[in-house]
Each structure stands twice: as C-alpha cells, then as structure tokens.
Amino acid sequence: MMATSAENSTAATGGGHPPPSSQLRSTRGDPHRWLILGVICLAQLTVLLDNTVLNVAIPSLTRELDASTSDIQWMINAYSLVQSGLLLTAGSSADRYGRKKMLAAGLVLFGAGSLVAGLAQSTGQLIAARAGMGVGGAFLMTTTLAVVVQIFDDTERVRAIGLWATVNSLGFAAGPLIGGVMLDHFWWGAIFLINIPVAVIGLIAVLALVPESKNPLGDRPDLVGALLSTVGMTGVVYAIISGPQHGWTSAHVGFSALVGLVVLAAFVVWELRIPYPMLDMHFFRNQQFTGAVAGAILVAFGMGGSLFLLTQHLQFVLGYEALEAGLRTAPMALTVVALNLTGVGARILPKLGTPATIATGMSCLAAGLAAIALLGGDSYGGMLLGLVVMGAGISVAMPAMANAIMSAIPPEKAGVGAGVNGTLAEFGNGLGVAVLGAVLNSRFAALVSVSAASLPAALAAAKSGAERERIADAFSSGLETSQLVGAVAVLVGGLLAAALLRRAERADSAVKDAA
C-alpha cells in the first residue's frame, strides 16, 4: 500500500521530522480491540438508525405537532444537512484534539439532541434538535472509522472495516422495523429517547476502553478551511436534497449548487496554498487514493440511486405500502450483514488483491441492478434476486475501498480520511438520486404526455383505465431504463477504479524494486 509509512506520511504532509512509529501505531493490537469495535459500532448504529427511523413517524408528527410538508422535510433534512457539512471538519478536529475526546463529545451531543427532540413541543424545537444531533452524528461517523484504523493492524483491519461497514446496512434494514414497533406501543418521541441509554452506555465504554490517539505533529487548526468546507458541502448537499422538491433546473437549486461549488473551489485553492491544510490535496496525486475515491462514489451512487428507484417501484408499480416496501428492500442489507459477519470480504481481499476485489464487487453490484431492471418489473421474485446479488457486491467492494482510502492516507490523518470516506458516501448517494431520477423522469416524459409532477398525480388525472395502464407501463419502462443506466455506470466506474488501483500497485512495486 502507498503512503502508509511514517516517512511517506511526512512527505505527503509537507516535510518535517517523521513522528516516531510508536506514536502513530502505539494503539495497534490493543487487547480490547474487538470489544472496542463493538462499542463504536453500537454508537454508529444509533446514528444510522436515526437516518431512517424518522420516515416511519411522519404520519404521527403531522398529526400531533400539526407539521406541514415543509416542516417534515426540514425535520429529516436538518440532520443530514448538518452532518454532511461537518464531516471533514469533524475528522480534522479528531486528528488534532484526540479521537477519543471527539467520540465522547459526539455521543454527548447526540444524546442531548435526542433528549430535546423526544420532548419537543413544536416543529421548530424538533428541527433545531435534529440539527444538534447532526453535529454529534458528524463526530461519531468520522471518529469511529478513525479509531478502527488506529487499533487494528494490517492483518485484521479489512475484517474490522467490513464489520464497521456492516453497521451501515444493518441501520438501513432495521430503521423502519424498529420505528414501526416503537410507534405501535409508544408516542413518537420514544424513537428519539431510545437513543439516550445507548449514548450513555457508549460514553461509559468509550471513556473506559478506547485509547486516545491524535496527530503527534500538532498541526495548527485550519479554521478558514473548516469554514469553507462546511459552507461548500452544505450548499451542494442542500441542492441535492431540495432538487426533487423544487426541480433540478429551478433558481433555488441552481443558486445553492453554485454557491456550494464556488466555495468548495475556494476551499481547494486555500488548501493548496497553506502549509497546514485540513485536507492535503496532494493525496489526490496518489493513484490508490484516487481509484478508491472513484469506486466509493460509485458504490454510493448505485446504492442511493437504486434504493430511490426501488421504493417507487415497490409502491407505485407492485402496489406495496410504505412499510412493506421498506421491509422488501431489506434482503440487500441483510446479505451485506451476513457476508461481512462471516468475513467473506476479508478472506477474498488477500487472495484477489484490492483491484480485483473491487472489480468483482462492483460487477456484482451492477449485475444486481441489471437483474432488478430486467427481472423485477412484474414481480418481487426477480427483484429479490437482484437485491441479494447487489448485497453480495457491496459486502465485497465496500470494505476493500474503505481500506484502500484509509491506507493511502497517513495514520495521523485518519480522522480526515474518515471524513473523506463519509463525504464521498453522502455525495454519491445524492448523485445517484439526482442522475437516475432525472433519467427516470426523462424516459417517463418521452413515453407519455402528462403535466403531473408524479406518478400518483398522473394516474389520478387519467380519464380511463387504458390511459392509467399506459401511464403505469411508461413509468415501469422509465424505471428499467434508469436502473440499467445505473448498472452501466457502476460497472464502468468499478473497472476504472480497479485499473487505477492496479497502476498504483505497479508504481509502488517499481519504487520498492528501485530502492
């Protein structure tokens, strides 16, 4: 792997004396490392559940808080918007001030936000509480992966990252189910208050078990970079979130996207010019890092876009209710959980190598998308096959790519690496929804001439049974086309990422042979 030694780390961050190896890796091989992994995965699971569980509570919130559609959207988006905008800043803060400290702070903020949310008496209070939870979530999402990198050595890290990645899928699968059970027995605030005992247990365990680690070089804080990255990411993510509501070509979305992109460009220029950058842009010269980045974006692209399309397919075409549709997407997540718990990806990686492992996983992900498009149009059986194949691909590719990203970044910058990994996931998810959603809408509009903005509205406006059938068929055709476009994008991108990683390995080998 490139750029993993202390010497390479120093070169990548602008020179100076390399920190002693013991300082960077003193926590590796911790005797409690698997117990620590369980603790931080529990903390992360709470954050991920909160991304999905709120969707189930929308009817209760609408009824009991008299929440409007706009209120509901901000309840959901305030959390993801704040979390996405702060990921890089949170990772950089963890590297500078200590990952254990930031992990504990994240649990405190998340627990306090959950308490306020559970006791909220108005929509404004709940939106503010969700934003506060997003701050805690950003610290948790970055520090958990950074701690994994610190406490596991090269022989165990891939399996540990695989288990860490499993939590993402478990949170997706369990969120709607846990939310439904809680709402059947308690009022809506219980879905937030259940986070508090988990946060307390996690905080006690973190303080007792997790070793402290941070960048021993003690770089100066990059406050301007933190501000620019937060504003830029928030602008871009807000444009992606609001695109389906306001229209991708609207001035509202265009202005937000433009501001975000301009500020991110300013962030890149600033990071290139200062001696103590929050995110060293020279990492992108590393072909291993660039290849893993491309693959990570496209895995998230395939997952985010396909799930956006799948929920519509299940509800509008196959006729399932919202909770039923959510449960029927669970086989993909459960496949990821099962394969990562059994260590399949960790065993494949040493045998095939990183490039071939990523190519294999991405090919399976593309094949699953294609199977859903071609076999899942009329029944759930074909869709189930595609979901299982997609899950297998994700379980193989995702840990390998996360490991490649973290291995290409110096150990003392592990928090920033985790921030990059989380930011890529957010960006890829949003990009998948935007691009595949646009393909669906374009195909649908080309097949039928309707003025309605959604399929339910178009069906309601239909004047005959034959017209409704023609509209439904057009929507199904649009879904098939968009899923196939996603499959091709994931396959080509996966092969490109594998090629970049192969070139990086060859270049690394040539340097070692010359030495």
Side-chain angles (χ1 to χ4, degrees):
M1 296 292 182
M2 296 181 67
T4 55
S5 69
E7 292 79 11
N8 286 347
S9 302
T10 306
T13 53
H17 297 290
S21 177
S22 60
Q23 282 185 280
L24 296 181
R25 300 175 184 269
S26 60
T27 56
R28 299 285 175 88
D30 190 288
H32 303 297
R33 58 192 179 280
W34 294 106
L35 180 59
I36 294 170
L37 178 64
V39 169
I40 61 179
C41 283
L42 178 65
Q44 184 181 334
L45 179 61
T46 308
V47 176
L48 293 164
L49 286 174
D50 211 72
N51 281 326
T52 56
V53 74
L54 188 62
N55 293 322
V56 183
I58 287 174
S60 299
L61 292 169
T62 302
R63 182 176 59 252
E64 297 183 30
L65 289 182
D66 194 25
S68 65
T69 300
S70 176
D71 291 333
I72 294 294
Q73 289 171 336
W74 275 109
M75 288 174 194
I76 295 171
N77 295 340
Y79 180 81
S80 57
L81 198 60
V82 172
Q83 180 176 283
S84 302
L86 287 176
L87 283 170
L88 281 176
T89 301
S92 176
S93 299
D95 287 335
R96 175 170 174 75
Y97 299 109
R99 298 173 189 111
K100 178 177 181 176
K101 292 185 183 72
M102 294 300 107
L103 184 55
L107 286 165
V108 171
L109 288 170
F110 192 80
S114 297
L115 177 62
V116 175
L119 301 179
Q121 300 297 311
S122 68
T123 56
Q125 291 176 5
L126 183 52
I127 291 169
R130 292 278 294 166
M133 292 171 69
V135 178
F139 282 108
L140 291 174
M141 291 294 288
T142 52
T143 50
T144 51
L145 181 56
V147 169
V148 169
V149 172
Q150 292 296 316
I151 64 175
F152 287 95
D153 60 23
D154 294 343
T155 61
E156 295 179 323
R157 189 191 305 130
V158 176
R159 186 181 180 194
I161 290 178
L163 294 173
W164 175 87
T166 298
V167 176
N168 292 282
S169 301
L170 188 60
F172 164 76
L177 182 60
I178 292 175
V181 171
M182 293 295 293
L183 290 171
D184 280 345
H185 295 87
F186 306 100
W187 94 111
W188 63 265
I191 64 174
F192 298 112
L193 296 182
I194 196 175
N195 296 334
I196 296 173
V198 178
V200 170
I201 293 171
L203 179 61
I204 294 172
V206 164
L207 295 176
L209 295 173
V210 175
E212 183 61 282
S213 62
K214 60 182 178 180
N215 183 356
L217 296 176
D219 290 337
R220 289 172 57 188
D222 179 12
L223 299 180
V224 175
L227 177 63
L228 292 173
S229 71
T230 300
V231 173
M233 280 302 303
T234 301
V236 171
V237 173
Y238 180 71
I240 292 172
I241 288 174
S242 59
Q245 177 190 2
H246 296 282
W248 295 106
T249 59
S250 68
H252 183 92
V253 173
F255 178 75
S256 176
L258 179 62
V259 170
L261 291 173
V262 168
V263 174
L264 285 178
F267 169 72
V268 172
V269 173
W270 174 259
E271 296 299 285
L272 287 170
R273 297 185 61 173
I274 62 172
Y276 46 91
M278 184 175 78
L279 175 61
D280 191 340
M281 292 297 160
H282 295 96
F283 292 152
F284 290 92
R285 295 179 181 176
N286 183 331
Q287 292 179 354
Q288 176 184 324
F289 182 78
T290 305
V293 161
I297 290 175
L298 285 160
V299 166
F301 176 95
M303 286 182 65
S306 64
L307 291 174
F308 170 73
L309 299 174
L310 280 173
T311 52
Q312 297 184 68
H313 193 147
L314 287 163
Q315 292 180 68
F316 297 150
V317 177
L318 300 183
Y320 294 108
E321 295 295 328
L323 184 56
E324 293 175 328
L327 291 174
R328 279 168 175 77
T329 61
M332 181 181 73
L334 296 177
T335 300
V336 176
V337 171
L339 293 180
N340 277 335
L341 286 177
T342 55
V344 171
R347 289 197 294 269
I348 289 176
L349 183 60
K351 295 178 181 178
L352 298 182
T354 300
T357 300
I358 289 176
T360 300
M362 298 285 275
S363 297
C364 286
L365 178 56
L369 279 168
I372 291 171
L374 300 175
L375 304 176
D378 299 320
S379 69
Y380 180 67
M383 185 177 291
L384 177 61
L385 172 63
L387 288 169
V388 172
V389 175
M390 282 179 66
I394 292 166
S395 68
V396 170
M398 186 179 289
M401 283 185 298
N403 184 62
I405 290 174
M406 299 304 290
S407 297
I409 288 181
E412 68 271 19
K413 295 285 187 180
V416 170
V420 170
N421 190 69
T423 301
L424 294 176
E426 294 288 342
F427 180 71
N429 279 326
L431 193 64
V433 171
V435 173
L436 299 189
V439 173
L440 166 61
N441 292 335
S442 298
R443 177 65 174 164
F444 181 52
L447 292 174
V448 293
S449 179
V450 294
S451 59
S454 66
L455 176 65
L459 292 174
K463 298 178 181 179
S464 66
E467 186 177 357
R468 281 192 292 271
E469 184 176 350
R470 183 167 59 87
I471 291 172
D473 288 343
F475 188 79
S476 297
S477 178
L479 280 170
E480 178 180 326
T481 301
S482 56
Q483 285 162 340
L484 288 174
V485 168
V488 172
V490 168
L491 178 61
V492 173
L495 295 177
L496 175 62
L500 289 171
L501 287 165
R502 178 68 70 189
R503 286 182 60 187
E505 286 187 352
R506 289 174 178 170
D508 194 28
S509 297
V511 170
K512 289 180 179 178
D513 291 341

